[in-house]
Coordinates of all heavy atoms in Angstrom, one line a residue:
M1 N 17.0 -0.8 16.9 CA 16.6 -1.3 15.7 C 15.3 -0.7 15.3 O 14.4 -0.6 16.1 CB 16.5 -2.9 15.8 CG 15.9 -3.5 14.6 SD 16.2 -5.3 14.6 CE 14.6 -5.9 14.9
D2 N 15.1 -0.3 14.0 CA 13.9 0.3 13.5 C 12.8 -0.9 13.4 O 13.2 -2.0 13.2 CB 14.1 0.9 12.2 CG 14.8 2.2 12.2 OD1 14.9 2.8 13.3 OD2 15.4 2.6 11.2
D3 N 11.6 -0.5 13.5 CA 10.5 -1.5 13.4 C 10.5 -2.2 12.1 O 10.1 -3.3 12.0 CB 9.1 -0.8 13.6 CG 8.9 -0.4 15.0 OD1 9.6 -1.0 15.9 OD2 8.1 0.4 15.3
D4 N 10.9 -1.5 11.0 CA 10.9 -2.1 9.7 C 12.1 -2.8 9.3 O 12.2 -3.4 8.2 CB 10.4 -1.1 8.6 CG 11.4 0.1 8.5 OD1 12.3 0.2 9.4 OD2 11.3 0.9 7.6
E5 N 13.1 -2.9 10.1 CA 14.4 -3.5 9.8 C 14.2 -5.0 9.6 O 14.9 -5.7 8.9 CB 15.5 -3.2 10.8 CG 16.1 -1.9 10.6 CD 17.2 -1.6 11.6 OE1 17.7 -2.6 12.2 OE2 17.6 -0.5 11.8
H6 N 13.2 -5.6 10.3 CA 13.0 -7.0 10.3 C 12.1 -7.5 9.2 O 11.9 -8.7 9.0 CB 12.4 -7.5 11.7 CG 11.0 -7.0 11.9 ND1 10.8 -5.7 12.3 CD2 9.8 -7.5 11.7 CE1 9.5 -5.5 12.4 NE2 8.9 -6.6 12.0
L7 N 11.6 -6.5 8.4 CA 10.7 -6.9 7.3 C 11.4 -7.6 6.2 O 12.4 -7.2 5.7 CB 10.0 -5.7 6.8 CG 9.1 -4.9 7.8 CD1 8.5 -3.7 7.1 CD2 8.0 -5.8 8.3
D8 N 10.8 -8.7 5.8 CA 11.3 -9.4 4.6 C 10.3 -9.3 3.5 O 9.1 -9.7 3.6 CB 11.4 -10.9 5.0 CG 12.0 -11.8 3.9 OD1 12.2 -11.2 2.7 OD2 12.2 -13.0 4.1
P9 N 10.7 -8.7 2.4 CA 9.7 -8.5 1.3 C 9.1 -9.8 0.8 O 7.9 -9.8 0.3 CB 10.6 -7.9 0.1 CG 11.8 -7.3 0.8 CD 12.0 -8.2 2.1
D10 N 9.8 -10.9 0.9 CA 9.2 -12.2 0.5 C 8.1 -12.6 1.4 O 7.3 -13.5 1.0 CB 10.3 -13.2 0.4 CG 11.3 -12.9 -0.7 OD1 10.9 -12.3 -1.7 OD2 12.5 -13.3 -0.5
E11 N 8.0 -12.1 2.6 CA 6.9 -12.5 3.5 C 5.8 -11.5 3.6 O 4.8 -11.6 4.3 CB 7.5 -12.6 5.0 CG 8.6 -13.7 5.1 CD 9.2 -13.7 6.5 OE1 8.8 -12.9 7.3 OE2 10.1 -14.5 6.7
S12 N 5.8 -10.5 2.7 CA 4.8 -9.5 2.6 C 3.5 -10.0 2.1 O 3.5 -10.9 1.2 CB 5.3 -8.3 1.8 OG 4.2 -7.4 1.6
E13 N 2.4 -9.5 2.5 CA 1.1 -9.9 2.0 C 0.7 -9.2 0.7 O -0.3 -9.5 0.1 CB 0.0 -9.6 3.0 CG -0.2 -8.2 3.4 CD -1.2 -7.9 4.5 OE1 -0.9 -8.4 5.6 OE2 -2.1 -7.2 4.3
Y14 N 1.6 -8.3 0.3 CA 1.3 -7.5 -0.9 C 1.9 -8.2 -2.2 O 2.8 -9.1 -2.1 CB 1.9 -6.1 -0.8 CG 1.3 -5.3 0.3 CD1 2.0 -5.2 1.5 CD2 0.0 -4.8 0.2 CE1 1.4 -4.5 2.5 CE2 -0.6 -4.1 1.2 CZ 0.1 -3.9 2.4 OH -0.5 -3.3 3.4
T15 N 1.3 -7.9 -3.3 CA 1.8 -8.5 -4.6 C 3.2 -8.0 -4.8 O 3.6 -6.9 -4.6 CB 0.9 -7.9 -5.7 OG1 -0.5 -8.2 -5.4 CG2 1.3 -8.6 -7.0
P16 N 4.0 -9.0 -5.2 CA 5.4 -8.6 -5.5 C 5.6 -7.5 -6.6 O 4.7 -7.5 -7.5 CB 6.1 -9.9 -6.0 CG 5.1 -11.0 -5.7 CD 3.8 -10.4 -5.5
V17 N 6.6 -6.7 -6.5 CA 6.8 -5.7 -7.4 C 7.7 -6.2 -8.6 O 8.6 -6.9 -8.3 CB 7.5 -4.5 -6.7 CG1 7.9 -3.4 -7.8 CG2 6.6 -3.9 -5.6
D18 N 7.3 -5.8 -9.8 CA 8.2 -6.2 -10.9 C 9.4 -5.3 -10.8 O 9.3 -4.1 -10.9 CB 7.4 -5.9 -12.2 CG 8.2 -6.1 -13.4 OD1 9.4 -6.6 -13.3 OD2 7.7 -5.9 -14.5
H19 N 10.5 -5.9 -10.6 CA 11.8 -5.1 -10.4 C 12.2 -4.3 -11.6 O 13.1 -3.5 -11.5 CB 12.9 -6.0 -9.8 CG 12.6 -6.6 -8.5 ND1 12.5 -5.8 -7.3 CD2 12.2 -7.8 -8.1 CE1 12.2 -6.5 -6.3 NE2 12.0 -7.8 -6.7
T20 N 11.6 -4.6 -12.7 CA 12.0 -3.8 -13.9 C 11.1 -2.5 -14.0 O 11.4 -1.7 -14.8 CB 11.8 -4.6 -15.2 OG1 10.5 -5.0 -15.4 CG2 12.8 -5.8 -15.2
A21 N 10.0 -2.5 -13.2 CA 9.1 -1.3 -13.3 C 9.7 -0.1 -12.5 O 10.5 -0.3 -11.6 CB 7.8 -1.7 -12.7
Q22 N 9.3 1.1 -12.9 CA 9.8 2.3 -12.2 C 9.0 2.4 -10.9 O 7.8 2.0 -10.8 CB 9.5 3.5 -13.0 CG 10.6 3.8 -14.0 CD 10.3 5.1 -14.7 OE1 9.2 5.5 -14.9 NE2 11.4 5.8 -14.9
R23 N 9.7 2.9 -9.9 CA 9.0 3.1 -8.6 C 8.2 4.4 -8.7 O 8.6 5.3 -9.4 CB 10.0 3.2 -7.5 CG 10.7 1.9 -7.1 CD 11.7 2.1 -6.0 NE 11.1 2.6 -4.9 CZ 10.9 2.0 -3.7 NH1 11.3 0.7 -3.6 NH2 10.3 2.5 -2.7
L24 N 7.2 4.5 -7.9 CA 6.4 5.8 -7.8 C 7.3 6.8 -7.1 O 8.0 6.4 -6.1 CB 5.1 5.6 -7.1 CG 4.1 4.7 -7.9 CD1 2.9 4.5 -6.9 CD2 3.6 5.4 -9.1
A25 N 7.1 8.0 -7.4 CA 7.8 9.1 -6.7 C 7.2 9.2 -5.3 O 6.0 8.8 -5.0 CB 7.5 10.4 -7.4
L26 N 8.0 9.6 -4.3 CA 7.5 9.7 -2.9 C 6.5 10.8 -2.9 O 6.5 11.8 -3.6 CB 8.7 10.1 -2.0 CG 9.8 9.1 -1.9 CD1 10.9 9.6 -1.0 CD2 9.2 7.8 -1.3
L27 N 5.5 10.6 -2.0 CA 4.5 11.6 -1.8 C 5.1 12.8 -1.0 O 5.9 12.6 -0.1 CB 3.3 11.0 -0.9 CG 2.5 9.9 -1.6 CD1 1.5 9.4 -0.5 CD2 1.8 10.4 -2.8
T28 N 4.6 14.0 -1.3 CA 4.9 15.1 -0.4 C 4.2 14.9 0.9 O 3.2 14.2 0.9 CB 4.5 16.4 -1.1 OG1 3.1 16.5 -1.2 CG2 5.2 16.6 -2.5
L29 N 4.6 15.7 1.9 CA 3.8 15.6 3.2 C 2.4 16.0 3.0 O 1.5 15.4 3.5 CB 4.5 16.4 4.2 CG 4.0 16.4 5.6 CD1 4.0 14.9 6.1 CD2 4.8 17.2 6.6
E30 N 2.2 17.1 2.2 CA 0.8 17.5 1.9 C 0.0 16.4 1.2 O -1.2 16.2 1.6 CB 0.9 18.8 1.0 CG -0.5 19.4 0.8 CD -0.5 20.6 -0.1 OE1 0.6 21.1 -0.4 OE2 -1.5 21.1 -0.4
E31 N 0.6 15.8 0.2 CA -0.1 14.7 -0.5 C -0.4 13.5 0.5 O -1.5 12.9 0.4 CB 0.7 14.2 -1.6 CG 0.8 15.1 -2.8 CD 1.9 14.7 -3.8 OE1 2.9 14.1 -3.4 OE2 1.7 15.1 -5.0
A32 N 0.5 13.2 1.4 CA 0.3 12.2 2.4 C -0.9 12.5 3.3 O -1.7 11.6 3.6 CB 1.5 11.9 3.2
H33 N -1.0 13.8 3.7 CA -2.1 14.2 4.6 C -3.4 14.2 3.8 O -4.4 13.8 4.3 CB -1.8 15.6 5.2 CG -0.9 15.5 6.3 ND1 -1.2 15.0 7.6 CD2 0.4 15.9 6.4 CE1 -0.2 15.1 8.4 NE2 0.8 15.6 7.7
D34 N -3.4 14.5 2.5 CA -4.6 14.5 1.7 C -5.1 13.0 1.6 O -6.2 12.7 1.7 CB -4.3 15.0 0.3 CG -4.1 16.5 0.3 OD1 -4.5 17.2 1.3 OD2 -3.6 17.1 -0.8
L35 N -4.1 12.1 1.3 CA -4.5 10.7 1.2 C -5.0 10.2 2.5 O -6.0 9.4 2.5 CB -3.2 9.9 0.8 CG -3.4 8.4 0.6 CD1 -4.5 8.1 -0.4 CD2 -2.1 7.8 0.2
L36 N -4.4 10.6 3.6 CA -4.9 10.1 4.9 C -6.3 10.6 5.2 O -7.2 9.9 5.6 CB -3.9 10.7 6.0 CG -4.3 10.3 7.4 CD1 -4.4 8.8 7.6 CD2 -3.2 10.9 8.4
R37 N -6.6 11.9 4.8 CA -8.0 12.4 5.0 C -9.0 11.6 4.2 O -10.1 11.3 4.6 CB -8.0 13.9 4.7 CG -7.5 14.8 5.8 CD -7.8 16.3 5.5 NE -7.0 16.8 4.4 CZ -5.8 17.2 4.5 NH1 -5.2 17.2 5.7 NH2 -5.1 17.7 3.5
L38 N -8.6 11.3 2.9 CA -9.4 10.5 2.1 C -9.7 9.1 2.6 O -10.9 8.7 2.7 CB -8.8 10.4 0.7 CG -9.6 9.5 -0.3 CD1 -10.9 10.1 -0.7 CD2 -8.7 9.3 -1.6
L39 N -8.7 8.5 3.1 CA -8.8 7.2 3.7 C -9.7 7.2 4.9 O -10.5 6.3 5.1 CB -7.5 6.5 4.0 CG -6.7 6.1 2.8 CD1 -5.2 5.8 3.2 CD2 -7.3 4.9 2.1
L40 N -9.5 8.2 5.8 CA -10.3 8.3 7.0 C -11.8 8.5 6.6 O -12.7 8.0 7.3 CB -9.8 9.5 7.8 CG -8.5 9.2 8.5 CD1 -8.0 10.5 9.2 CD2 -8.6 8.1 9.5
T41 N -12.1 9.3 5.5 CA -13.5 9.5 5.1 C -14.1 8.2 4.6 O -15.2 7.8 5.0 CB -13.5 10.5 4.0 OG1 -13.0 11.8 4.5 CG2 -14.9 10.8 3.4
V42 N -13.3 7.4 3.8 CA -13.8 6.1 3.3 C -14.0 5.2 4.5 O -15.0 4.4 4.5 CB -12.9 5.6 2.3 CG1 -13.3 4.1 1.9 CG2 -12.8 6.5 1.0
A43 N -13.1 5.2 5.5 CA -13.1 4.3 6.6 C -14.4 4.5 7.4 O -14.9 3.6 8.0 CB -11.9 4.4 7.4
Q44 N -14.9 5.7 7.5 CA -16.1 6.1 8.3 C -17.4 5.7 7.6 O -18.4 5.7 8.2 CB -16.1 7.6 8.6 CG -15.0 8.0 9.5 CD -14.9 9.5 9.7 OE1 -15.7 10.2 9.2 NE2 -13.8 9.9 10.4
Q45 N -17.3 5.4 6.3 CA -18.5 5.0 5.5 C -18.8 3.5 5.7 O -17.8 2.7 5.8 CB -18.3 5.3 4.1 CG -18.0 6.8 3.8 CD -19.0 7.7 4.2 OE1 -20.2 7.5 4.0 NE2 -18.6 8.8 4.9
E46 N -20.0 3.1 5.6 CA -20.3 1.7 5.6 C -20.1 1.1 4.2 O -20.4 1.8 3.2 CB -21.8 1.5 5.9 CG -22.2 1.8 7.4 CD -21.5 0.8 8.4 OE1 -21.4 -0.4 8.0 OE2 -21.1 1.2 9.4
G47 N -19.4 0.0 4.1 CA -19.1 -0.5 2.8 C -18.0 -1.5 2.9 O -17.2 -1.6 3.9
P48 N -17.7 -2.2 1.8 CA -16.7 -3.2 1.7 C -15.3 -2.7 1.8 O -14.4 -3.4 2.2 CB -16.9 -3.9 0.4 CG -17.6 -2.9 -0.4 CD -18.5 -2.1 0.5
M49 N -15.1 -1.4 1.5 CA -13.7 -0.8 1.5 C -13.4 -0.2 2.9 O -12.2 0.1 3.1 CB -13.6 0.2 0.4 CG -13.6 -0.4 -1.0 SD -12.5 -1.7 -1.3 CE -10.9 -0.9 -1.1
S50 N -14.3 0.0 3.7 CA -14.1 0.7 5.0 C -13.0 0.0 5.9 O -12.2 0.7 6.4 CB -15.4 1.0 5.7 OG -16.1 -0.1 6.1
P51 N -13.0 -1.3 6.1 CA -12.0 -1.9 6.9 C -10.6 -1.7 6.3 O -9.6 -1.4 7.0 CB -12.4 -3.4 7.0 CG -13.8 -3.4 6.6 CD -14.1 -2.3 5.7
E52 N -10.5 -1.9 5.0 CA -9.2 -1.7 4.4 C -8.7 -0.2 4.4 O -7.5 0.0 4.7 CB -9.2 -2.2 2.9 CG -7.9 -2.1 2.2 CD -6.8 -3.1 2.8 OE1 -7.1 -3.9 3.7 OE2 -5.7 -3.0 2.3
A53 N -9.6 0.7 4.2 CA -9.3 2.1 4.3 C -8.8 2.4 5.8 O -7.9 3.2 6.0 CB -10.5 3.0 3.9
D54 N -9.5 1.9 6.7 CA -9.1 2.1 8.1 C -7.7 1.6 8.4 O -6.9 2.2 9.0 CB -10.2 1.4 9.1 CG -9.9 1.7 10.5 OD1 -9.8 2.9 10.9 OD2 -9.8 0.8 11.3
R55 N -7.5 0.4 7.9 CA -6.1 -0.2 8.1 C -5.0 0.6 7.5 O -4.0 0.9 8.1 CB -6.1 -1.6 7.6 CG -4.8 -2.4 7.8 CD -4.7 -3.7 7.1 NE -4.6 -3.5 5.6 CZ -3.4 -3.1 5.0 NH1 -2.3 -2.9 5.7 NH2 -3.4 -3.0 3.7
L56 N -5.3 1.0 6.2 CA -4.3 1.9 5.5 C -4.1 3.2 6.2 O -3.0 3.8 6.3 CB -4.7 2.0 4.1 CG -4.5 0.8 3.2 CD1 -5.2 1.0 1.9 CD2 -3.1 0.4 3.1
A57 N -5.2 3.8 6.7 CA -5.1 5.1 7.4 C -4.3 5.0 8.6 O -3.4 5.9 8.9 CB -6.5 5.6 7.7
K58 N -4.4 3.9 9.4 CA -3.6 3.7 10.5 C -2.1 3.6 10.2 O -1.2 4.1 10.9 CB -4.1 2.5 11.3 CG -5.4 2.8 12.0 CD -5.9 1.5 12.7 CE -7.3 1.8 13.3 NZ -7.9 0.5 13.8
E59 N -1.9 2.8 9.1 CA -0.5 2.6 8.7 C 0.2 3.9 8.2 O 1.3 4.2 8.6 CB -0.4 1.6 7.5 CG -0.8 0.2 7.9 CD 0.3 -0.5 8.7 OE1 1.5 -0.2 8.6 OE2 -0.1 -1.3 9.5
I60 N -0.6 4.7 7.5 CA 0.0 6.0 7.0 C 0.2 7.0 8.2 O 1.2 7.6 8.3 CB -0.9 6.6 5.9 CG1 -0.8 5.7 4.6 CG2 -0.5 8.0 5.6 CD1 -1.7 6.0 3.5
A61 N -0.8 7.0 9.0 CA -0.8 8.0 10.2 C 0.4 7.7 11.1 O 1.0 8.6 11.6 CB -2.1 7.9 11.0
A62 N 0.8 6.4 11.1 CA 1.9 6.0 12.0 C 3.3 6.4 11.4 O 4.3 6.5 12.1 CB 1.9 4.5 12.2
R63 N 3.3 6.7 10.1 CA 4.5 7.0 9.4 C 4.8 8.5 9.0 O 5.8 8.8 8.6 CB 4.6 6.2 8.1 CG 4.7 4.7 8.3 CD 4.6 3.9 7.0 NE 5.0 2.5 7.2 CZ 4.3 1.6 7.6 NH1 3.1 1.8 8.1 NH2 4.8 0.3 7.7
I64 N 3.7 9.3 9.2 CA 3.9 10.7 8.8 C 3.7 11.6 10.0 O 3.0 11.3 10.9 CB 2.9 11.1 7.7 CG1 1.5 11.0 8.1 CG2 3.2 10.4 6.4 CD1 0.5 11.6 7.1
P65 N 4.4 12.7 10.0 CA 4.2 13.7 11.1 C 2.9 14.3 11.1 O 2.3 14.4 10.0 CB 5.3 14.7 10.9 CG 6.1 14.3 9.7 CD 5.4 13.2 9.1
S66 N 2.4 14.7 12.2 CA 1.0 15.3 12.3 C 1.1 16.7 11.6 O 2.2 17.3 11.4 CB 0.6 15.5 13.7 OG 1.4 16.4 14.4
E67 N -0.1 17.2 11.2 CA -0.1 18.5 10.5 C 0.1 19.6 11.5 O 0.4 20.7 11.1 CB -1.5 18.7 9.9 CG -1.7 17.8 8.7 CD -3.0 18.0 8.0 OE1 -4.1 17.6 8.6 OE2 -3.1 18.6 7.0
N68 N 0.0 19.4 12.8 CA 0.2 20.5 13.8 C 1.6 20.8 14.0 O 2.5 20.1 14.1 CB -0.5 20.1 15.1 CG -2.0 19.8 14.8 OD1 -2.5 20.0 13.8 ND2 -2.6 19.3 15.9

C-alpha cells in the first residue's frame, strides 16, 4: 500500500479545493527542484515563514527524485 492511499481529503489541514476550478499543471522536475531550493533558502532564514518553508521543503524533497 502506498503511503498516500490512506489519505482522506476531508481530513486534510488544507483549504478545500473548489471542484469547479481548474487544477494547476504539474511541475516539471526542474521546476520542482527550483521550488525546493527556494523553500530551503527561506527555511534557513529567521522569520515567521521559515518553519512552514522547512516543512514544505521536506514534503517536496520526499516526493521528487534527487538531482544527481
